[in-house]
Amino acid sequence: MKINGGIPLKGTVKTQGAKNAALPVMAVCLLLRGETLTLDNVPDLYDINTMIELLRALGVEVQVNDSRAVFNVPDELKWEAPESLVRKMRASSLVLGPLLANFGRVSLPLPGGCSIGSRPIDLHLKGLKQMGAEIDIQDGVVHASIKGRLRGRRIYLDFPSVGATENLMMAASLAQGETIIENIAREPEIDNLAATLRCIGVPVELEGTGGVRIQGIHRGHSGRERVIPDRIEACTYILAGVMTNGHIRVEDVVPSHIDAILAKLEEAGAKFSVRRNVIEIFPSKKKLHPVSIKTMPYPGFPTDSQPQMAAALSLSRGVSTIEESVFQARFLYAQELNRMGADIQISRDVAVMVEKLHGAGVKATDLRAGAALIIAGLAAEGETRVDDMVHVWRGYEAIDQKLRALGAQVELV
Ligand code: EPZ
């Protein structure tokens, strides 16, 4: 993507359905037999299309028109996930729990690592084992099976892993008896999953103490649910408005989903208003103040907005620090931002120094790093070229069109 920076953004942008909510709620269809799951507000993204291909490869009939997806599930499904599709996306691991619970067996190639660290699924497998599953890993393929039904029980998650929470909630839905999972992830995507399980007849109670209680059922029925707005995409546009000193409205946002970001932006002196489901960014005479950030599981500062925030803080007036506590290595973008004039030093955590950004040729190393480089290019003087846009298309629907609608000079070359 080629970007001519330095233009304050103006206008309105509407968020897409959340990628990280749509992926697990689509996998819910694997809990059904001979029934239909309908989802609204499904975004049009590479990763969503990969999940649709994977579900089709397993035997589900999927129709998508506009942002509505209908999943017709036959009485029998395949239980082997094709390697080619699984390698494209770690979220493929989300078919483990539902397939095992519904059909008693599943074979899934282990997801590979990626540029933000190794992506083990040991917590997913540990929980499934505790529910009675036989787990065998051969040549990088997980073979899971259970005679009869999984058994509901109390499970404690060593870490509030989003994927492990989602897999185990889906597995518990068809297990024998009650399952209580403690120390679950509290991301809004988990509430969206709970609502989708309820819509097919699974009694799910989320408890304020960070636990969830699920009564296993014999057979789910057809249902319909809506995907929540994408909080990470919303933050990307909010930061683009702040960094270009523009005046924009970001619509279809749930403000409580982005409390941590808004609090940090307020602390840094950004000017914005919050009304029902619209965040309005106003131009501000002053540069952002430096802030310190530590990424944490929700409701802490989200790791998925960390690269974008580093780009914004590259324009601040002093030294900010960012500590990434969720993933092992999520700073690959820093060297790319430094090519644009930022002065980011990686020690145990990241110090972001003050600089003006200038255009440069940079590479997207993962999807959120790509987003950070794009918004840095919007704010930088001169021309920026962001290569390897394939990462960005995994999570940002029509980002070039949305930015042009906000007055940005961007084109795909
Ligand atoms: C989800 O990944 C998101 N992906 C990620 O978004 C997001 O960064 C992450 O949650 C944290 O919020 C989807 O929802 C599809 P985790 P997930 O399990 O489920 C370790 C994006 O940019 N871990 O909470 O993989 C793991 O290595 C993507 O949209 C284990 O050690 O996140 C990581 O360090 C990137 N063992 C940490 O926990 C396990 O069994 C958080 O992982 C599972 C996880």
Side-chain angles (χ1 to χ4, degrees):
M1 181 187 279
K2 198 161 83 170
I3 303 164
N4 276 327
I7 300 167
L9 298 185
K10 290 201 177 4
T12 297
V13 61
K14 185 184 169 308
T15 61
Q16 67 197 25
K19 166 177 90 76
N20 292 349
L23 291 169
V25 301
M26 287 160 71
V28 167
C29 76
L30 296 171
L31 291 168
L32 297 172
R33 288 177 184 234
E35 302 285 344
T36 298
L37 175 67
T38 303
L39 295 174
D40 293 310
N41 200 31
V42 176
D44 176 12
L45 299 168
Y46 270 34
D47 276 6
I48 298 299
N49 296 331
T50 301
M51 180 60 96
I52 288 171
E53 279 170 60
L54 175 54
L55 293 172
R56 283 178 173 149
L58 292 167
V60 180
E61 191 200 303
V62 186
Q63 282 127 16
V64 184
N65 41 34
D66 202 4
S67 60
R68 171 167 305 164
V70 180
F71 304 84
N72 288 304
V73 190
D75 278 324
E76 280 304 319
L77 282 176
K78 301 188 188 73
W79 38 265
E80 279 191 305
E83 167 119 22
S84 57
L85 290 174
V86 170
R87 303 296 280 163
K88 277 170 81 173
M89 181 180 67
R90 257 151 313 286
S92 312
S93 56
L94 293 172
V95 307
L96 260 177
L99 273 181
L100 181 63
N102 198 3
F103 299 99
R105 62 184 301 180
V106 55
S107 288
L108 181 93
L110 272 173
C114 72
S115 63
I116 58 177
S118 69
R119 304 290 291 274
I121 56 170
D122 53 308
L123 299 180
H124 305 229
L125 301 178
K126 179 179 170 187
L128 292 173
K129 244 183 239 160
Q130 289 175 307
M131 295 173 82
E134 290 287 317
I135 308 270
D136 177 33
I137 298 184
Q138 274 165 9
D139 311 326
V141 179
V142 175
H143 300 281
S145 62
I146 175 88
K147 286 187 186 39
R149 295 171 74 190
L150 290 170
R151 288 183 297 281
R153 52 163 288 163
R154 176 182 288 276
I155 293 172
Y156 176 80
L157 278 181
D158 300 348
F159 176 85
S161 149
V162 173
T165 301
E166 293 163 344
N167 243 330
L168 295 175
M169 282 175 67
M170 290 189 277
S173 300
L174 296 180
Q176 179 101 23
E178 177 180 74
T179 299
I180 295 174
I181 310 172
E182 306 285 9
N183 194 28
I184 60 169
R186 323 254 301 257
E187 275 69 3
E189 292 79 56
I190 302 300
D191 298 277
N192 210 181
L193 175 60
T196 307
L197 291 174
R198 287 189 203 105
C199 95
I200 65 165
V202 181
V204 180
E205 279 167 67
L206 287 164
E207 286 156 7
T209 57
V212 63
R213 182 189 295 268
I214 295 178
Q215 306 297 337
I217 61 172
H218 280 277
R219 187 187 173 86
H221 54 66
S222 296
R224 180 169 185 169
E225 194 43 70
R226 181 177 181 78
V227 175
I228 56 173
D230 193 318
R231 60 196 171 98
I232 306 300
E233 188 213 17
C235 296
T236 306
Y237 287 104
I238 288 168
L239 290 172
V242 170
M243 292 169 69
T244 59
N245 212 12
H247 180 188
I248 67 169
R249 288 161 49 89
V250 183
E251 296 185 340
D252 204 6
V253 174
V254 179
S256 63
H257 290 177
I258 56 173
D259 270 342
I261 303 261
L262 296 179
K264 281 296 166 186
L265 278 178
E266 188 174 356
E267 188 185 327
K271 296 277 171 287
F272 62 88
S273 72
V274 179
R275 256 196 325 282
R276 231 166 55 75
N277 63 350
V278 176
I279 309 285
E280 186 164 2
I281 307 294
F282 302 102
S284 137
K285 310 256 173 310
K286 294 185 301 203
K287 280 181 170 294
L288 292 179
H289 311 308
V291 293
S292 299
I293 287 170
K294 177 174 181 180
T295 66
M296 297 291 281
Y298 193 89
F301 192 94
T303 171
D304 287 351
S305 293
Q306 180 260 94
Q308 301 91 308
M309 195 63 174
L313 293 174
S314 302
L315 299 169
S316 72
R317 224 182 21 215
V319 176
S320 300
T321 60
I322 298 180
E323 185 179 347
E324 168 61 52
S325 79
V326 176
F327 283 102
Q328 294 152 329
R330 197 167 195 170
F331 295 124
L332 273 186
Y333 63 86
Q335 67 209 19
E336 299 299 312
L337 273 179
N338 285 346
R339 291 164 56 85
M340 298 174 72
D343 180 356
I344 302 177
Q345 287 139 33
I346 312 276
S347 57
R348 198 176 59 77
D349 47 25
V350 174
V352 184
M353 315 285 276
V354 64
E355 276 296 344
K356 191 149 188 54
L357 293 175
H358 57 72
V362 289
K363 278 184 175 312
T365 47
D366 71 84
L367 108 102
R368 306 300 176 184
L373 294 168
I374 288 171
I375 61 179
L378 293 169
E381 295 300 321
E383 180 178 290
T384 298
R385 281 179 63 102
V386 178
D387 286 327
D388 295 351
M389 280 293 292
V390 62
H391 295 290
V392 176
W393 299 127
R394 289 185 48 196
Y396 287 89
E397 189 177 292
I399 187 168
D400 56 318
Q401 294 163 33
K402 287 188 171 186
L403 287 175
R404 269 199 295 276
L406 290 169
Q409 282 184 15
V410 302
E411 63 172 308
L412 298 177
V413 293

